Short mmCIF file of all heavy atoms in Angstrom, two decimals:
data_model
loop_
_atom_site.label_atom_id
_atom_site.label_comp_id
_atom_site.label_asym_id
_atom_site.label_seq_id
_atom_site.Cartn_x
_atom_site.Cartn_y
_atom_site.Cartn_z
N ALA B 1 -48.77 -11.12 -21.43
CA ALA B 1 -47.80 -10.22 -21.83
C ALA B 1 -48.20 -8.74 -21.57
O ALA B 1 -47.41 -7.97 -20.99
CB ALA B 1 -47.41 -10.44 -23.32
N PRO B 2 -49.34 -8.28 -22.08
CA PRO B 2 -49.73 -6.84 -21.74
C PRO B 2 -50.02 -6.69 -20.28
O PRO B 2 -49.72 -5.56 -19.80
CB PRO B 2 -50.99 -6.71 -22.61
CG PRO B 2 -51.51 -8.04 -22.91
CD PRO B 2 -50.33 -8.87 -23.00
N LEU B 3 -50.54 -7.67 -19.61
CA LEU B 3 -50.80 -7.48 -18.15
C LEU B 3 -49.48 -7.39 -17.38
O LEU B 3 -49.36 -6.54 -16.53
CB LEU B 3 -51.62 -8.64 -17.64
CG LEU B 3 -52.05 -8.55 -16.19
CD1 LEU B 3 -52.89 -7.27 -15.97
CD2 LEU B 3 -52.88 -9.75 -15.72
N TYR B 4 -48.51 -8.18 -17.79
CA TYR B 4 -47.21 -8.07 -17.20
C TYR B 4 -46.58 -6.69 -17.48
O TYR B 4 -45.97 -6.05 -16.62
CB TYR B 4 -46.30 -9.23 -17.70
CG TYR B 4 -44.84 -9.12 -17.21
CD1 TYR B 4 -44.56 -9.06 -15.87
CD2 TYR B 4 -43.80 -9.14 -18.17
CE1 TYR B 4 -43.22 -8.98 -15.45
CE2 TYR B 4 -42.47 -9.09 -17.78
CZ TYR B 4 -42.20 -9.01 -16.41
OH TYR B 4 -40.88 -8.98 -16.03
N ALA B 5 -46.68 -6.24 -18.76
CA ALA B 5 -46.12 -4.97 -19.15
C ALA B 5 -46.77 -3.81 -18.33
O ALA B 5 -46.08 -2.87 -17.98
CB ALA B 5 -46.36 -4.73 -20.62
N ALA B 6 -48.04 -3.96 -18.07
CA ALA B 6 -48.70 -2.94 -17.22
C ALA B 6 -48.06 -2.90 -15.82
O ALA B 6 -47.81 -1.79 -15.29
CB ALA B 6 -50.25 -3.25 -17.09
N GLY B 7 -47.81 -4.04 -15.25
CA GLY B 7 -47.22 -4.09 -13.92
C GLY B 7 -45.80 -3.58 -13.89
O GLY B 7 -45.38 -2.93 -12.95
N VAL B 8 -45.06 -3.85 -14.99
CA VAL B 8 -43.70 -3.37 -15.12
C VAL B 8 -43.70 -1.78 -15.12
O VAL B 8 -42.90 -1.19 -14.44
CB VAL B 8 -42.99 -3.90 -16.39
CG1 VAL B 8 -41.69 -3.19 -16.63
CG2 VAL B 8 -42.81 -5.39 -16.24
N CYS B 9 -44.59 -1.17 -15.88
CA CYS B 9 -44.64 0.23 -15.99
C CYS B 9 -45.00 0.86 -14.65
O CYS B 9 -44.44 1.90 -14.19
CB CYS B 9 -45.62 0.66 -17.02
SG CYS B 9 -45.19 0.36 -18.77
N TRP B 10 -46.00 0.23 -13.97
CA TRP B 10 -46.41 0.70 -12.69
C TRP B 10 -45.27 0.65 -11.68
O TRP B 10 -45.00 1.70 -11.04
CB TRP B 10 -47.59 -0.21 -12.21
CG TRP B 10 -48.10 0.12 -10.81
CD1 TRP B 10 -48.50 1.29 -10.30
CD2 TRP B 10 -48.07 -0.87 -9.70
NE1 TRP B 10 -48.79 1.14 -8.91
CE2 TRP B 10 -48.64 -0.19 -8.58
CE3 TRP B 10 -47.80 -2.16 -9.58
CZ2 TRP B 10 -48.80 -0.77 -7.35
CZ3 TRP B 10 -47.98 -2.84 -8.34
CH2 TRP B 10 -48.48 -2.11 -7.27
N ALA B 11 -44.59 -0.49 -11.48
CA ALA B 11 -43.53 -0.55 -10.54
C ALA B 11 -42.28 0.26 -10.90
O ALA B 11 -41.67 0.85 -10.02
CB ALA B 11 -43.15 -2.05 -10.35
N PHE B 12 -42.01 0.32 -12.14
CA PHE B 12 -40.88 1.18 -12.69
C PHE B 12 -41.14 2.63 -12.18
O PHE B 12 -40.27 3.27 -11.64
CB PHE B 12 -40.85 1.10 -14.13
CG PHE B 12 -39.64 1.68 -14.81
CD1 PHE B 12 -39.49 1.61 -16.23
CD2 PHE B 12 -38.58 2.29 -14.10
CE1 PHE B 12 -38.39 2.18 -16.82
CE2 PHE B 12 -37.52 2.87 -14.68
CZ PHE B 12 -37.41 2.81 -16.08
N GLY B 13 -42.33 3.13 -12.34
CA GLY B 13 -42.73 4.47 -11.97
C GLY B 13 -42.65 4.73 -10.55
O GLY B 13 -42.06 5.72 -10.05
N TYR B 14 -43.27 3.93 -9.69
CA TYR B 14 -43.23 4.16 -8.24
C TYR B 14 -41.84 4.02 -7.67
O TYR B 14 -41.57 4.73 -6.65
CB TYR B 14 -44.28 3.36 -7.50
CG TYR B 14 -44.14 1.86 -7.31
CD1 TYR B 14 -42.98 1.37 -6.64
CD2 TYR B 14 -45.09 0.99 -7.76
CE1 TYR B 14 -42.90 -0.02 -6.42
CE2 TYR B 14 -44.95 -0.36 -7.56
CZ TYR B 14 -43.87 -0.86 -6.96
OH TYR B 14 -43.68 -2.20 -6.72
N ASP B 15 -40.99 3.19 -8.22
CA ASP B 15 -39.67 3.09 -7.65
C ASP B 15 -38.77 4.34 -7.99
O ASP B 15 -37.85 4.65 -7.27
CB ASP B 15 -38.96 1.84 -8.19
CG ASP B 15 -37.73 1.46 -7.34
OD1 ASP B 15 -37.90 1.26 -6.14
OD2 ASP B 15 -36.63 1.46 -7.91
N ILE B 16 -39.05 4.92 -9.15
CA ILE B 16 -38.38 6.22 -9.43
C ILE B 16 -38.73 7.27 -8.37
O ILE B 16 -37.83 8.00 -7.91
CB ILE B 16 -38.68 6.67 -10.87
CG1 ILE B 16 -38.15 5.74 -11.88
CG2 ILE B 16 -38.25 8.10 -11.10
CD1 ILE B 16 -38.54 6.11 -13.28
N ILE B 17 -40.00 7.37 -8.03
CA ILE B 17 -40.47 8.32 -7.02
C ILE B 17 -39.75 7.99 -5.67
O ILE B 17 -39.23 8.86 -5.00
CB ILE B 17 -41.93 8.33 -6.87
CG1 ILE B 17 -42.59 8.84 -8.18
CG2 ILE B 17 -42.42 9.14 -5.66
CD1 ILE B 17 -44.11 8.71 -8.17
N TYR B 18 -39.71 6.72 -5.35
CA TYR B 18 -39.00 6.30 -4.13
C TYR B 18 -37.55 6.68 -4.13
O TYR B 18 -37.03 7.09 -3.12
CB TYR B 18 -39.19 4.76 -4.03
CG TYR B 18 -38.62 4.12 -2.79
CD1 TYR B 18 -39.26 4.11 -1.57
CD2 TYR B 18 -37.35 3.49 -2.86
CE1 TYR B 18 -38.78 3.56 -0.46
CE2 TYR B 18 -36.83 2.89 -1.73
CZ TYR B 18 -37.55 2.95 -0.51
OH TYR B 18 -36.99 2.30 0.59
N ALA B 19 -36.88 6.53 -5.27
CA ALA B 19 -35.44 6.78 -5.38
C ALA B 19 -35.15 8.24 -5.21
O ALA B 19 -34.00 8.56 -4.76
CB ALA B 19 -34.94 6.30 -6.74
N PHE B 20 -36.10 9.15 -5.47
CA PHE B 20 -35.84 10.60 -5.28
C PHE B 20 -35.62 10.99 -3.90
O PHE B 20 -35.07 12.03 -3.58
CB PHE B 20 -36.91 11.41 -6.00
CG PHE B 20 -36.65 11.80 -7.39
CD1 PHE B 20 -37.07 10.97 -8.44
CD2 PHE B 20 -35.94 12.97 -7.67
CE1 PHE B 20 -36.73 11.38 -9.76
CE2 PHE B 20 -35.72 13.33 -8.94
CZ PHE B 20 -36.11 12.62 -9.98
N GLN B 21 -36.03 10.13 -2.93
CA GLN B 21 -35.78 10.43 -1.54
C GLN B 21 -34.30 10.54 -1.18
O GLN B 21 -33.90 11.30 -0.33
CB GLN B 21 -36.35 9.25 -0.63
CG GLN B 21 -37.82 9.10 -0.64
CD GLN B 21 -38.21 7.87 0.22
OE1 GLN B 21 -38.56 8.02 1.35
NE2 GLN B 21 -38.06 6.72 -0.31
N ASP B 22 -33.50 9.69 -1.84
CA ASP B 22 -32.08 9.57 -1.53
C ASP B 22 -31.12 10.21 -2.49
O ASP B 22 -29.91 9.90 -2.47
CB ASP B 22 -31.78 8.09 -1.35
CG ASP B 22 -32.64 7.41 -0.34
OD1 ASP B 22 -33.00 7.99 0.74
OD2 ASP B 22 -32.98 6.22 -0.52
N LYS B 23 -31.64 11.05 -3.42
CA LYS B 23 -30.76 11.57 -4.42
C LYS B 23 -29.57 12.27 -3.96
O LYS B 23 -28.53 12.45 -4.67
CB LYS B 23 -31.55 12.42 -5.40
CG LYS B 23 -32.04 13.71 -4.88
CD LYS B 23 -32.78 14.50 -5.95
CE LYS B 23 -33.22 15.87 -5.45
NZ LYS B 23 -33.77 16.69 -6.54
N HIS B 24 -29.64 12.91 -2.75
CA HIS B 24 -28.52 13.66 -2.28
C HIS B 24 -27.48 12.78 -1.56
O HIS B 24 -26.24 13.08 -1.59
CB HIS B 24 -28.99 14.70 -1.26
CG HIS B 24 -29.89 15.75 -1.85
ND1 HIS B 24 -29.47 16.56 -2.87
CD2 HIS B 24 -31.19 16.10 -1.55
CE1 HIS B 24 -30.48 17.39 -3.20
NE2 HIS B 24 -31.55 17.12 -2.45
N ASP B 25 -27.92 11.63 -0.99
CA ASP B 25 -26.97 10.68 -0.34
C ASP B 25 -26.38 9.70 -1.27
O ASP B 25 -25.32 9.12 -0.97
CB ASP B 25 -27.73 10.01 0.86
CG ASP B 25 -28.02 11.02 2.02
OD1 ASP B 25 -27.37 12.00 2.13
OD2 ASP B 25 -29.00 10.72 2.70
N ASP B 26 -27.13 9.30 -2.32
CA ASP B 26 -26.74 8.16 -3.17
C ASP B 26 -25.36 8.37 -3.80
O ASP B 26 -24.59 7.38 -3.85
CB ASP B 26 -27.83 7.93 -4.23
CG ASP B 26 -29.00 7.13 -3.71
OD1 ASP B 26 -28.95 6.61 -2.61
OD2 ASP B 26 -30.02 7.11 -4.45
N PRO B 27 -24.99 9.54 -4.28
CA PRO B 27 -23.70 9.60 -4.94
C PRO B 27 -22.56 9.30 -3.98
O PRO B 27 -21.58 8.55 -4.34
CB PRO B 27 -23.58 11.06 -5.36
CG PRO B 27 -25.06 11.47 -5.53
CD PRO B 27 -25.77 10.74 -4.48
N GLN B 28 -22.53 9.79 -2.78
CA GLN B 28 -21.47 9.46 -1.76
C GLN B 28 -21.47 8.05 -1.37
O GLN B 28 -20.49 7.49 -0.94
CB GLN B 28 -21.56 10.38 -0.60
CG GLN B 28 -22.69 10.20 0.27
CD GLN B 28 -22.69 11.09 1.54
OE1 GLN B 28 -21.78 11.98 1.64
NE2 GLN B 28 -23.59 10.85 2.51
N ALA B 29 -22.66 7.37 -1.46
CA ALA B 29 -22.78 5.99 -1.07
C ALA B 29 -22.45 5.06 -2.22
O ALA B 29 -22.36 3.85 -2.08
CB ALA B 29 -24.22 5.72 -0.56
N GLY B 30 -22.20 5.61 -3.38
CA GLY B 30 -21.84 4.75 -4.57
C GLY B 30 -23.05 4.10 -5.16
O GLY B 30 -22.90 3.18 -5.92
N VAL B 31 -24.26 4.65 -4.89
CA VAL B 31 -25.52 4.08 -5.42
C VAL B 31 -25.85 4.76 -6.80
O VAL B 31 -25.87 6.05 -6.90
CB VAL B 31 -26.63 4.28 -4.51
CG1 VAL B 31 -27.95 3.81 -5.09
CG2 VAL B 31 -26.35 3.49 -3.19
N LYS B 32 -26.10 3.96 -7.80
CA LYS B 32 -26.57 4.50 -9.03
C LYS B 32 -28.09 4.33 -9.13
O LYS B 32 -28.57 3.16 -9.23
CB LYS B 32 -25.94 3.76 -10.24
CG LYS B 32 -24.41 3.96 -10.30
CD LYS B 32 -23.84 3.12 -11.48
CE LYS B 32 -22.34 3.54 -11.77
NZ LYS B 32 -21.49 3.19 -10.60
N SER B 33 -28.78 5.39 -9.00
CA SER B 33 -30.25 5.28 -9.01
C SER B 33 -30.81 6.00 -10.26
O SER B 33 -30.23 6.92 -10.86
CB SER B 33 -30.89 5.84 -7.81
OG SER B 33 -31.00 7.28 -7.85
N THR B 34 -32.02 5.59 -10.65
CA THR B 34 -32.71 6.15 -11.85
C THR B 34 -33.02 7.66 -11.54
O THR B 34 -33.03 8.45 -12.50
CB THR B 34 -33.96 5.39 -12.17
OG1 THR B 34 -33.63 3.98 -12.28
CG2 THR B 34 -34.54 5.85 -13.49
N ALA B 35 -33.26 8.01 -10.27
CA ALA B 35 -33.50 9.40 -9.95
C ALA B 35 -32.35 10.28 -10.31
O ALA B 35 -32.50 11.41 -10.77
CB ALA B 35 -33.78 9.47 -8.45
N LEU B 36 -31.11 9.81 -10.21
CA LEU B 36 -29.93 10.60 -10.49
C LEU B 36 -29.85 10.97 -11.97
O LEU B 36 -29.39 12.08 -12.35
CB LEU B 36 -28.67 9.91 -10.02
CG LEU B 36 -28.52 9.68 -8.50
CD1 LEU B 36 -27.26 8.91 -8.14
CD2 LEU B 36 -28.51 11.05 -7.74
N ILE B 37 -30.16 10.00 -12.79
CA ILE B 37 -30.06 10.27 -14.24
C ILE B 37 -31.22 11.05 -14.76
O ILE B 37 -31.10 11.71 -15.81
CB ILE B 37 -29.91 8.92 -14.97
CG1 ILE B 37 -29.24 9.08 -16.33
CG2 ILE B 37 -31.26 8.21 -15.18
CD1 ILE B 37 -28.81 7.85 -17.01
N LEU B 38 -32.37 11.03 -14.08
CA LEU B 38 -33.54 11.80 -14.55
C LEU B 38 -33.64 13.16 -13.87
O LEU B 38 -34.50 13.94 -14.38
CB LEU B 38 -34.80 10.92 -14.22
CG LEU B 38 -35.04 9.64 -15.05
CD1 LEU B 38 -36.31 8.99 -14.53
CD2 LEU B 38 -35.10 9.89 -16.47
N GLU B 39 -32.94 13.38 -12.84
CA GLU B 39 -33.11 14.58 -12.07
C GLU B 39 -33.21 15.90 -12.91
O GLU B 39 -34.08 16.70 -12.63
CB GLU B 39 -31.97 14.72 -11.05
CG GLU B 39 -32.09 15.94 -10.10
CD GLU B 39 -30.95 16.01 -9.09
OE1 GLU B 39 -30.03 15.23 -9.20
OE2 GLU B 39 -31.06 16.89 -8.22
#
């Protein structure tokens, strides 16, 4: 359980960074990304 939780936090974080690449294009594409809500 804690090892899985560690992996969840890690992947959650790097995918947010990844999502910031597309924050300008995502709204017109209809994509809801975590980067948009955290910007």
Side-chain angles (χ1 to χ4, degrees):
L3 185 59
Y4 174 56
V8 171
C9 291
W10 173 58
F12 191 179
Y14 71 61
D15 195 61
I16 291 173
I17 295 174
Y18 182 81
F20 266 91
Q21 294 178 98
D22 302 325
K23 68 175 184 175
H24 297 299
D25 291 335
D26 281 347
Q28 68 176 8
V31 175
K32 294 179 171 65
S33 81
T34 309
L36 296 178
I37 202 168
L38 292 177
E39 181 179 7

